[in-house]
Amino acid sequence: TSTRSSSPVIVLPLRLAVGLIVGGIDRQNRVGSKFGGGGVSSSSQSDRERKERLKQLALESIDLAKDPYLMRNHLGTYECKLCLTLHTNEANYLAHTQGKKHQQGLARRAHLEKLREERQNKAVPSATTDATTMSSKKQRIKIGRPAYQVFKSRDPDTNQRCLTFEVAYPEIADGIQPRHRFMSAFEQKVETPPDRRYQYLIFAAEPYETVAFKVPNEPLDRNKFVSHWKDTKFTVTMYYWDKDNDDDKKKQDKKVIKKEEEDSKMEQD
């Protein structure tokens, strides 16, 4: 203090006074710092400096035009489509890309892409086999309908109705035998509405077209159903089960049984 004035005067060191006049804080006189080293920075200051360094590195190495997750909205700010975060400027977004959240999102997305590729690779062989089979089927050219004959007759013993189909396949492919099957009226899509009184007998053999015959939908005698393939000619013979003949047969059987019973009684007497 000075004796010339009544008010006290604080005398500061020269270095501190110069720092206050310039407008900064003297960092080199802190505890633990060396002279001329600028002082020990705090953890917040070191984090801020680290983020600035990361921003500068990202600006030099990353091309934002090729970043698929960067989007600029109508407000002028930037959005990260991967993490759903908002950023004020490009530098802030670049700092976010170096953070833990964004890096974990990238790793998760890469793992999902890898799993998707593995599934696609597993599905590719089956698709190729299906494509080859379809192409082989498409390459087969139909040469037209086969020649056929239909004969109607009756069994001389039982008087059952009989149908005989003869289908000729002179140019049938090697190693292929004609096939046949019955199809109900509700399976076919040619005649509408379907008539349940009829069914269809289908014949198929490559490279000929498939042909079908419309026959009555009545019970068949399975014991007399015969199919034969010889000398490029396929023959199918079928007999219908006649109800009248069935009733007559039952009556005859009853008469025979009754006669046998009477004969056995006469023998006993």
Side-chain angles (χ1 to χ4, degrees):
T1 58
S2 176
T3 56
R4 295 181 181 179
S5 61
S6 59
S7 60
V9 178
I10 300 174
V11 180
L12 299 175
L14 180 60
R15 294 174 184 174
L16 184 58
V18 172
L20 291 174
I21 293 171
V22 173
I25 299 175
D26 187 12
R27 300 180 183 274
Q28 64 184 359
N29 290 325
R30 290 184 176 183
V31 178
S33 64
K34 295 182 179 180
F35 180 75
V40 178
S41 60
S42 62
S43 59
S44 61
Q45 291 173 348
S46 61
D47 291 340
R48 193 180 303 112
E49 292 174 358
R50 180 179 60 81
K51 289 181 180 180
E52 288 294 332
R53 290 196 301 272
L54 292 175
K55 288 180 184 178
Q56 295 300 326
L57 289 173
L59 286 172
E60 295 175 359
S61 59
I62 297 176
D63 187 6
L64 293 177
K66 298 180 180 180
D67 193 343
Y69 304 112
L70 177 62
M71 182 182 68
R72 187 169 183 176
N73 56 20
H74 64 287
L75 299 175
T77 58
Y78 297 89
E79 296 182 12
C80 177
K81 294 189 288 184
L82 180 63
C83 306
L84 303 179
T85 54
L86 292 174
H87 305 279
T88 55
N89 49 37
E90 294 181 354
N92 191 358
Y93 172 76
L94 288 173
H96 162 72
T97 58
Q98 306 302 318
K100 182 178 179 180
K101 183 177 181 180
H102 192 82
Q103 294 297 326
Q104 287 180 348
L106 291 176
R108 192 183 305 109
R109 180 62 63 87
H111 180 66
L112 293 176
E113 290 292 337
K114 184 178 179 181
L115 293 178
R116 188 180 296 113
E117 289 180 359
E118 290 178 355
R119 292 175 183 173
Q120 291 179 354
N121 293 332
K122 289 181 180 179
V124 164
S126 61
T128 54
T129 53
D130 295 341
T132 53
T133 54
M134 291 295 292
S135 61
S136 62
K137 289 181 179 179
K138 290 180 180 179
Q139 288 176 358
R140 296 178 180 177
I141 301 174
K142 302 294 184 180
I143 62 175
R145 295 180 183 177
Y148 61 87
Q149 287 182 332
V150 181
F151 302 96
K152 297 180 181 181
S153 61
R154 283 186 179 269
D155 192 325
D157 297 331
T158 60
N159 199 28
Q160 289 178 291
R161 292 172 297 164
C162 174
L163 288 176
T164 302
F165 302 90
E166 289 185 359
V167 187
Y169 296 104
E171 298 182 11
I172 191 172
D174 296 336
I176 296 179
Q177 182 175 346
R179 296 183 178 182
H180 69 281
R181 80 174 186 94
F182 286 95
M183 182 175 67
S184 68
F186 298 95
E187 290 184 68
Q188 57 87 27
K189 304 297 181 183
V190 178
E191 294 185 356
T192 54
D195 191 353
R196 65 178 61 193
R197 296 177 300 172
Y198 296 94
Q199 61 182 349
Y200 298 86
L201 179 59
I202 302 174
F203 294 87
E206 294 291 342
Y208 291 90
E209 295 181 2
T210 302
V211 293
F213 298 93
K214 187 177 180 180
V215 296
N217 186 14
E218 297 179 6
L220 299 174
D221 191 352
R222 298 295 179 180
N223 297 325
K224 294 184 178 181
F225 189 88
V226 180
S227 62
H228 183 66
W229 166 246
K230 185 179 180 180
D231 297 335
T232 67
K233 185 179 290 185
F234 189 56
T235 306
V236 172
T237 304
M238 61 182 188
Y239 290 85
Y240 283 98
W241 191 267
D242 198 343
K243 295 182 180 180
D244 297 333
N245 294 334
D246 191 16
D247 295 337
D248 294 340
K249 188 177 180 181
K250 289 180 180 179
K251 291 179 181 179
Q252 292 177 1
D253 293 339
K254 288 181 180 180
K255 289 180 180 180
V256 170
I257 294 171
K258 188 175 181 180
K259 188 176 180 181
E260 289 177 355
E261 290 178 353
E262 291 177 354
D263 293 340
S264 61
K265 287 181 180 180
M266 290 176 63
E267 290 178 357
Q268 289 177 2
D269 296 338

